[in-house]
Amino acid sequence: IEAGSSSDATQSPWPASAAFILALIGFTVITKVESARVAAERDNAARVADFMVGLFSVNLAEKGRYSEAVQLVLHALDMKRQTAAPPLEMGSTLVNIAEFYLLQGDAQKAEPMVRAGLALYRKYLNPQSIPVLGAENVYGRCLVGVHRYGEAERVLVRLFPIIRKNYGDEDALESARALMTLYEETGRSEKAAEYRKLVERDTQLTLGISNSPIISHSDLSNCRGGGN
C-alpha cells in the first residue's frame, strides 16, 4: 500500500503540470487574439479619423482658410508620428501638407514637407505609380516657388503630360501655372505665352470643380512593398 501511495505521489504532478501548460498556452492565444482585435479596431478608428481630417481640411481650403487647413493636417501628422502610422500614410499626409502650404503661397515650408513625403513614397511604391509622380509634380511646383528654376523645369516638363492624363484638369492647371511663372521669371516669353494659354483654357474647364489633394495622394496603388 505504501509503495502504491509513493507511486501516486510521484505521478500526480505530471497531470497538473500539463494542465498548467495548456492553460498558459490558451491564455497566450486568447491574449494575442484580443490584442489583434484591439489593434484592428484602433487602426480602423485612426483611418476614420484621418478621413474626417481630410474632409475638414479640404473644406477649409476651399473656403480660402488655408492656415486653419494646414494646422489641422499638421495636428494629424503629429498624431501619426505618436502612433507610429504606416510610412505610406505618413507620406500622404506630408504631401498634402505641402499642397496646402503651396495654396497658402508658402513654398519655403512646402518644399521640405513634400521632399520627406516623396522619400517615403519612393521607398515603398513603384517609381512610376501615380502617387509618386503626383508628389514629384508637387515638388516641382515647390522648386518654382523657391526659385530653383532649372530643377523645376526638368521635373515639371517631364511630368506635365502625365499629370494632364492621370490627375485631371485642376492639377494640370496648377502645373501649367507653375511653368508659366517659371518661364516668365526666366525671361522666356514665348514659352510663358504657351502655358498662359493652357492656364486660361484650363481655368474655364475647372471653374466650379474641386479636386482635393487629399484624394489625389491617397491612391497608394502599384505598391512595391507593404507600408508597415
Side-chain angles (χ1 to χ4, degrees), residues 37 41 136 144:
R37 183 186 65 78
E41 290 180 353
E136 288 178 342
V144 173

Side-chain angles (χ1 to χ4, degrees), residues 40-193:
E41 290 180 353
R42 185 186 63 234
D43 289 345
N44 286 337
R47 289 179 184 279
V48 171
D50 190 45
F51 178 73
M52 294 305 295
V53 166
L55 288 180
F56 282 124
S57 59
V58 170
N59 183 260
L60 288 169
E62 287 175 344
K63 295 176 180 178
R65 295 161 63 179
Y66 301 126
S67 296
E68 294 172 73
V70 166
Q71 290 306 311
L72 185 59
V73 186
L74 283 172
H75 178 69
L77 180 65
D78 287 339
M79 293 296 293
K80 288 183 178 183
R81 283 172 172 159
Q82 292 173 24
T83 57
L88 290 177
E89 291 186 17
M90 292 289 294
S92 175
T93 301
L94 286 162
V95 175
N96 288 328
I97 292 170
E99 284 271 23
F100 285 130
Y101 273 136
L102 281 176
L103 290 171
Q104 199 175 2
D106 197 338
Q108 290 282 355
K109 289 182 179 178
E111 191 270 340
M113 288 290 181
V114 71
R115 185 157 33 86
L118 185 54
L120 290 171
Y121 275 6
R122 285 172 171 165
K123 184 175 180 179
Y124 293 98
L125 296 177
N126 185 309
Q128 297 304 312
S129 65
I130 296 302
V132 172
L133 297 175
E136 288 178 342
N137 187 64
V138 175
Y139 182 58
R141 288 161 51 202
C142 288
L143 292 175
V144 173
V146 296
H147 314 299
R148 289 159 59 183
Y149 297 125
E151 296 171 74
E153 183 177 13
R154 287 191 293 273
V155 173
L156 291 172
V157 170
R158 173 175 62 87
L159 291 173
F160 186 65
I162 300 172
I163 296 302
R164 294 193 76 181
K165 179 180 178 182
N166 294 287
Y167 271 77
D169 292 325
E170 188 164 342
D171 290 278
L173 171 61
E174 294 301 327
S175 297
R177 186 177 284 122
L179 283 163
M180 179 186 73
T181 300
L182 185 157
Y183 289 124
E184 286 176 343
E185 293 295 319
T186 54
R188 286 176 281 179
S189 56
E190 289 186 7
K191 296 291 290 184

Side-chain angles (χ1 to χ4, degrees), residues 160 164 169 172-173 176-177 179-180 191-205:
F160 186 65
R164 294 193 76 181
D169 292 325
L173 171 61
R177 186 177 284 122
L179 283 163
M180 179 186 73
K191 296 291 290 184
E194 176 185 336
Y195 284 98
R196 187 178 299 107
K197 288 179 181 178
L198 290 174
V199 168
E200 292 171 353
R201 190 197 68 180
D202 288 351
T203 299
Q204 295 299 318
L205 289 174

